[in-house]
Amino acid sequence: MLSKNKIKLLRGLQRKKVRKSSKFYIVEGPKLVAEILFTGADWHELYATESWLRSNPILVNDKRLVLVNEKDLAQISSLKSPNEVLMVLKKDTVQDFSLIVSNPFVLALDGVNDPGNLGTIIRNADWFGVCHILCSLKTVDQYNPKVIQSAMGSFQRVQLHYGNLIEMLSNFKSHTIMACDLSGTSIYECDFKEPLVLVMGNESHGVSDILSAVVHQNITIPSFSPTTDSLNVSVATGIVLSTIKGQIKLKK
């Protein structure tokens, strides 16, 4: 049985403030935990039910393992239906930003607020081979439990970098910086070339006007419907990434 203090500490990791101060975050569910164990990534603690442990007996003597019942798991889980296992991990060390600038394709997010959208964007980035995402300070925390659940294992392979977006983008001197905007040039009429930075904006307001100082070209996904006036940002990101990556691959 878990102590009240331990339950309070683990539940606290659902909040950004606690994750920031402790430098820990949580991952839940057999599929996500299995992927982390398979990759050999370092982890801090594991809270698991007997049923999960029976399927993973190799960890039975690991001192970082804490056996819990379903009631305990429900008290520390962020899920409505807790699922057998919860892992606590140390937050990643931030990579030297100067090394990121050498990447031929980088994604940037300006104030994406919804955790589900960010998680899906991370999965999109992973699918299309984008390893780095620049995030404005108004973008939702990458370690939010809902982001982790939506991103699945992709959160391990795509690195997110938070900061002043204008300052970060100003370092990409050799890149063409393109922002997705309703008034831009159709993505089907653009000639995409690397190195390139793609900027996607807030769900409601799009890309901030202040970024116009560093954006070289606005692009858009043309609508083929007379009644629909917008796309979900994660869906839009997937469409634009597919178009850009497909065109660049054909040129090689």
Side-chain angles (χ1 to χ4, degrees):
M1 184 175 179
L2 297 177
S3 68
K4 290 183 178 180
N5 284 339
K6 177 59 75 171
I7 291 172
K8 182 179 179 180
L9 175 63
L10 293 170
R11 286 183 63 86
L13 293 177
Q14 297 177 29
R15 303 196 304 274
K16 180 179 178 180
K17 181 179 179 180
V18 177
R19 292 193 298 271
K20 184 176 181 179
S21 61
S22 69
K23 294 183 169 53
F24 288 110
Y25 68 102
I26 59 174
V27 169
E28 298 188 62
K31 188 173 182 179
L32 273 177
V33 169
E35 184 164 347
I36 292 170
L37 292 172
F38 178 77
T39 60
D42 192 25
W43 51 276
H44 180 64
E45 291 176 331
L46 190 68
Y47 296 84
T49 61
E50 287 187 7
S51 61
W52 185 88
L53 190 57
R54 282 195 295 269
S55 301
N56 299 271
I58 193 172
L59 293 171
V60 68
N61 293 319
D62 196 305
K63 294 181 179 180
R64 296 170 294 176
L65 172 69
V66 179
L67 192 63
V68 295
N69 56 39
E70 292 183 358
K71 182 180 178 180
D72 285 336
L73 191 62
Q75 291 187 85
I76 61 176
S77 174
S78 64
L79 304 176
K80 290 183 179 180
S81 301
N83 198 358
E84 293 190 298
V85 61
L86 179 150
M87 178 179 275
V88 180
L89 297 97
K90 192 82 170 177
K91 292 169 71 172
D92 295 332
T93 303
V94 178
Q95 186 176 347
D96 184 351
F97 192 80
S98 63
L99 300 176
I100 302 164
V101 178
S102 63
N103 279 261
F105 193 106
V106 174
L107 180 62
L109 303 178
D110 181 22
V112 173
N113 294 323
D114 183 82
N117 282 339
L118 179 57
T120 304
I121 289 171
I122 293 171
R123 289 187 73 181
N124 283 336
D126 188 23
W127 180 261
F128 289 106
V130 179
C131 300
H132 297 279
I133 301 178
L134 310 179
C135 298
S136 70
L137 295 173
K138 291 185 178 180
T139 296
V140 63
D141 178 29
Q142 70 184 102
Y143 296 108
N144 181 302
K146 292 181 180 179
V147 174
I148 298 293
Q149 289 296 319
S150 299
M152 298 301 290
S154 294
F155 78 90
Q156 296 185 89
R157 295 180 289 274
V158 179
Q159 295 189 18
L160 276 66
H161 313 271
Y162 286 76
N164 183 304
L165 200 51
I166 291 182
E167 291 181 3
M168 288 193 289
L169 289 173
S170 65
N171 288 285
F172 290 82
K173 306 293 186 183
S174 62
H175 289 60
T176 299
I177 300 176
M178 294 184 165
C180 200
D181 184 86
L182 289 174
S183 62
T185 303
S186 168
I187 58 173
Y188 306 121
E189 298 174 1
C190 292
D191 183 20
F192 296 110
K193 297 177 182 177
E194 293 178 333
L196 186 152
V197 178
L198 171 64
V199 184
M200 302 299 295
N202 172 269
E203 291 90 341
S204 301
H205 308 294
V207 176
S208 305
D209 291 338
I210 196 171
L211 288 181
S212 61
V214 293
V215 170
H216 301 126
Q217 182 179 356
N218 287 328
I219 59 175
T220 193
I221 303 169
S223 173
F224 296 90
S225 167
T227 56
T228 304
D229 59 1
S230 65
L231 278 174
N232 173 281
V233 66
S234 61
V235 173
T237 302
I239 292 171
V240 179
L241 286 177
S242 178
T243 302
I244 294 175
K245 285 290 190 173
Q247 188 184 116
I248 290 173
K249 185 175 181 179
L250 287 174
K251 291 177 180 178
K252 292 182 178 179

